[in-house]
Amino acid sequence: MVIEVKATITGNVWKIVKEIGDTVDEYDVIMILESMKMEIPVEAPQGGKITEFKVKEGASVIEEDVVAILE
Amino acid sequence: MTEIDKSIHPELERLHSLRAISKHGGGPDKIKRQHDRGKLTARERLDLLFDPNTFYEIGILGAENHEKPDADGVVAGYGKIDGRYAGVVAYDYTVKGGSMGQVGEEKATRIREIAMKSRFPMIWLSDSGGARIDPKSGFGASTDTDRVALFANTGYLFKEESLMSGVIPLVGAMLGPGFAGTAYIPGLSDFVPMVKGKSFMGLAGPALVKMAIGEDIDENELGGSKMHCEVSGVGDLEVEDDAACIQVIRDYLSFFPANCDLKPPRKEFSGDPLALIEDQIATIVPDNTREAYNMHRLIKLIVDDKFFFEMKPRWGKNMITGFGRIGGYPLGIVANNPMSYGGVIDINASDKAARFIWLCDAFNIPLLFLSDVPGFMVGSKAEKDGIIRHGAKFIHAVAEATVPKFTIIVRKSYGAGYYAMCGKAFDPDLIVAWPKGEISVMGAEGMISIFARKALEEAPEEDRAGIVSGMADVIKPLLNVKMAAAKGYIDDIIDPRETRRVLFQALEFTKDKKIFRHPRKHGVYPV
């Protein structure tokens, strides 16, 4: 099953903390966005394996943008 | 229920056949079309809504033309939900588009009166074309002056619904269209679930909008479930389909008493409500105050069985509102959401919190405030949006609420945000903090920018950041709740794992709480 990981807020991708192929659990932080002077983590909505990043560090994202794909 | 033998007397046979006509709704073709649209009929929805064999229909023999009996666009009656009575008006789209004619109006009025006198919740399942504009049984579209004039004697529904508010729970569920007058049914309800992509509401539908102001817009963009649950805030919850909609109505009402004189029902809870929460709750809040975290996850660890019933999850996301239970006792939760704009309180967050607090207070549901708030939104946009009156509304609601109020300072609690999240002055029955809690008029950096402005202006540009961070290191420890606890301003600092235990005891000791206020008709609400 393919799971889309979405940005929870509009901002910039500050740090991608996981790599493609990493296995994650629900609530694991995949990347961190920077918005309103806050560091906003993007968490795995459920457990899985990261197969793709849709953004690079420094990219700007809009709320609800798909930023990574889990399987 | 035992089957009734309908054949023992011709009169009875006739009675049962008349009922059967009504139960057929708009007939097989219309019902098939309703199903093809992915929708259930009014009667199928009622089967899901009520406990088996408890629905009793009133006005089933209602017919616009008694010589030619036919089903009506409105099904009304009462039945039990989890063993407790509730009244319903279900619009049947298969009969003249669920439009409201004279008989439908009579039936809806009758069940409203019954619900109000007997004091049980009222539910509307909307799927209706609105008032019936039809020369025979509707309100107009005719040169018959009596028909046209009928409208002057309508509108009681909206007055009555307004007066029912806060006496009995009101649910205005949208399972199809609800344009024009019918849009005020959800508008005046406490809870408005909307079926995704299939429900719409607006004060005028696309055709009338085009006529009145020349705007070309389809019903989805004008008043679809996504628009109302994410943009306008009129919808409370967007749900997948009819069955899910009925389920959330049942879930929602499970937190409520039948009327404002009763306590909300305690649900059976088999675990130990005094048990510590699992260790992970102690590590969710990061040390770095700039780092956000998942408040929803935290709430789910606090409530029974991780069941959190969220209201307006996709609107005003910087404020989280919803219901949960601790040891079976219902609890309304108001929490800041650091993931969304750092949890700042803007106009929508204020509006959402105020309404939720009024809702819980009206029905004796205790309130829990989980505070991690940088304050109210500032700046010219916020001021133009009326942040003062919206913020005042939130503060007014918290101050006014007499239900048990419990405050937990999870992390920061700054400025008027501390007040609004039920700070000490707002009479919380319990006010405790987690160890990383901070209470302050503002954050350390903000304070420094004000009291050290002169020093900073005189310092060379490259030194300023160093000065600020040096001062912040000195000030930050002073903001920690240890100081407030040492002075006795808050009740305690607790281990996050003790949160359920502390709240359970608070729910028990406040069961008979009573507050007396100066008599008045009502406050002058800032809205």
Side-chain angles (χ1 to χ4, degrees):
Chain A
M1 191 177 60
V2 173
I3 305 151
E4 293 183 333
V5 182
K6 291 177 180 174
T8 47
I9 196 166
T10 300
N12 292 313
V13 179
W14 181 49
K15 247 194 264 185
I16 295 178
V17 297
K18 295 280 188 218
E19 286 173 20
I20 287 175
D22 283 359
T23 306
V24 291
D25 289 330
E26 184 186 6
Y27 298 128
D28 276 359
V29 177
I30 292 171
M31 65 181 67
I32 302 170
L33 309 180
E34 210 263 328
S35 178
M36 298 288 288
K37 295 187 181 171
M38 291 284 291
E39 296 163 21
I40 315 284
V42 177
E43 300 172 336
Q46 49 184 288
K49 191 173 172 183
I50 301 174
T51 56
E52 190 184 350
F53 286 114
K54 295 278 192 189
V55 291
K56 290 196 169 89
E57 286 183 2
S60 51
V61 292
I62 298 174
E63 186 177 333
E64 291 289 294
D65 275 359
V66 176
V67 292
I69 302 287
L70 300 182
E71 230 173 55
Chain B
M1 234 185 239
T2 41
E3 261 312 298
I4 296 173
D5 178 5
K6 296 162 186 166
S7 61
I8 60 168
H9 191 283
E11 268 305 322
L12 295 179
E13 224 178 316
R14 161 121 177 110
L15 171 64
H16 289 290
S17 72
L18 277 175
R19 285 184 182 172
I21 290 171
S22 278
K23 286 186 178 168
H24 287 150
D29 292 351
K30 294 272 174 61
I31 290 173
K32 185 178 177 299
R33 272 172 64 189
Q34 179 82 347
H35 289 162
D36 289 346
R37 287 189 200 103
K39 289 158 67 168
L40 299 176
T41 66
R43 284 167 204 283
E44 288 165 340
R45 289 166 182 161
L46 295 178
D47 283 344
L48 294 175
L49 179 64
F50 292 116
D51 301 346
N53 297 323
T54 64
F55 177 59
Y56 183 75
E57 184 171 348
I58 56 167
I60 190 170
L61 303 179
E64 300 290 354
N65 177 355
H66 68 276
E67 282 167 7
K68 218 178 113 211
D70 202 356
D72 190 65
V74 172
V75 183
Y78 45 82
K80 283 183 173 179
I81 296 178
D82 289 332
R84 300 182 299 159
Y85 275 107
V88 72
V89 170
Y91 294 87
D92 188 347
Y93 200 78
T94 68
V95 181
K96 296 183 178 162
S99 62
M100 195 81 168
Q102 248 185 311
V103 165
E105 186 101 3
E106 289 295 337
K107 295 200 281 188
T109 304
R110 178 73 183 149
I111 186 62
R112 277 201 318 272
E113 287 170 354
I114 290 172
M116 192 61 171
K117 276 190 287 192
S118 303
R119 299 162 80 76
F120 53 64
M122 191 60 219
I123 301 161
W124 286 267
L125 302 178
S126 288
D127 188 0
S128 166
R132 192 173 299 163
I133 310 293
D134 160 272
K136 288 198 193 70
S137 58
F139 300 100
S142 162
T143 50
D144 176 348
T145 45
D146 285 354
R147 282 281 148 208
V148 176
L150 265 179
F151 182 73
N153 196 36
T154 59
Y156 294 95
L157 159 60
F158 307 119
K159 179 205 68 182
E160 283 176 23
E161 203 186 338
S162 304
L163 300 181
M164 287 163 138
S165 172
V167 181
I168 53 175
L170 305 174
V171 175
M174 301 304 299
L175 299 104
F179 282 114
T182 43
Y184 276 123
I185 296 174
L188 292 164
S189 294
D190 307 337
F191 175 52
V192 183
M194 294 187 77
V195 177
K196 193 174 181 175
K198 300 199 166 65
S199 63
F200 317 95
M201 54 183 164
L203 292 190
L208 194 55
V209 166
K210 173 76 182 157
M211 192 274 289
I213 62 168
E215 185 184 11
D216 273 309
I217 191 158
D218 67 28
E219 54 189 5
N220 238 324
E221 269 191 69
L222 179 65
S225 55
K226 190 175 161 66
M227 195 290 277
H228 280 305
C229 294
E230 295 182 15
V231 184
S232 77
V234 179
D236 283 303
L237 210 50
E238 194 180 27
V239 292
E240 224 28 68
D241 53 24
D242 286 16
C245 186
I246 300 299
Q247 187 57 48
V248 298
I249 296 171
R250 291 181 59 103
D251 288 345
Y252 170 85
L253 287 173
S254 74
F255 290 98
F256 281 78
N259 61 62
C260 62
D261 288 333
L262 301 175
K263 299 265 183 198
R266 184 179 178 188
K267 199 179 169 200
E268 215 168 291
F269 179 70
S270 53
D272 174 11
L274 298 177
L276 290 179
I277 299 173
E278 50 199 286
D279 287 352
Q280 53 163 305
I281 196 164
T283 55
I284 291 178
V285 179
D287 290 331
N288 174 2
T289 50
R290 276 168 45 93
E291 220 175 289
Y293 57 91
N294 191 332
M295 183 64 90
H296 287 94
R297 180 183 174 199
L298 196 151
I299 293 169
K300 283 182 187 162
L301 287 169
I302 294 175
V303 296
D304 290 352
D305 307 319
K306 299 189 163 61
F307 184 67
F308 178 53
F309 187 91
E310 192 170 0
M311 299 278 279
K312 302 191 196 290
R314 305 192 58 78
W315 181 76
K317 285 161 77 173
N318 27 348
M319 185 67 73
I320 300 170
T321 55
F323 301 99
R325 293 184 181 85
I326 289 181
Y329 290 113
L331 191 65
I333 299 169
V334 179
N336 311 113
N337 181 9
M339 289 277 218
S340 183
Y341 303 101
V344 74
I345 305 171
D346 57 9
I347 56 165
N348 288 347
S350 301
D351 194 273
K352 180 174 169 178
R355 183 175 163 83
F356 183 75
I357 290 163
W358 277 323
L359 173 66
C360 291
D361 192 47
F363 294 106
N364 310 311
I365 300 173
L367 285 162
L368 168 63
F369 296 85
L370 296 170
S371 173
D372 185 356
V373 60
F376 279 86
M377 192 68 196
V378 297
S380 69
K381 182 177 185 299
E383 299 298 350
K384 281 177 187 161
D385 286 344
I387 184 68
I388 297 174
R389 65 186 169 87
H390 288 288
K393 168 169 52 185
F394 181 10
I395 288 170
H396 191 118
V398 179
E400 186 180 50
T402 56
V403 286
K405 296 186 276 197
F406 315 123
T407 305
I408 299 181
I409 315 288
V410 172
R411 191 161 66 174
K412 56 187 176 293
S413 201
Y414 294 164
Y418 163 63
Y419 303 159
M421 292 302 288
C422 203
K424 183 65 188 294
F426 289 73
D427 300 328
D429 298 280
L430 175 86
I431 177 165
V432 297
W434 285 10
K436 286 169 193 160
E438 290 180 354
I439 301 174
S440 171
V441 64
M442 61 178 75
E445 283 82 2
M447 270 195 238
I448 295 160
S449 72
I450 293 170
F451 75 68
R453 193 178 67 195
K454 200 140 184 266
L456 285 169
E457 276 169 10
E458 284 163 6
E461 173 83 46
E462 62 272 22
D463 293 352
R464 284 179 195 164
I467 295 172
V468 171
S469 74
M471 286 180 171
D473 287 345
V474 177
I475 293 169
K476 273 190 176 157
L478 307 176
L479 310 186
N480 186 274
V481 281
K482 280 201 284 288
M483 298 293 283
K487 290 191 180 293
Y489 297 155
I490 63 171
D491 298 325
D492 199 6
I493 297 175
I494 61 167
D495 181 327
R497 291 170 298 182
E498 296 166 336
T499 303
R500 269 176 67 81
R501 169 188 297 183
V502 167
L503 287 170
F504 178 76
Q505 289 187 311
L507 281 161
E508 294 229 297
F509 77 68
T510 53
K511 265 198 294 199
D512 297 322
K513 181 187 178 189
K514 254 205 172 2
I515 294 276
F516 297 94
R517 301 271 198 230
H518 291 285
R520 62 177 173 184
K521 283 182 75 180
H522 49 71
V524 182
Y525 299 112
V527 289

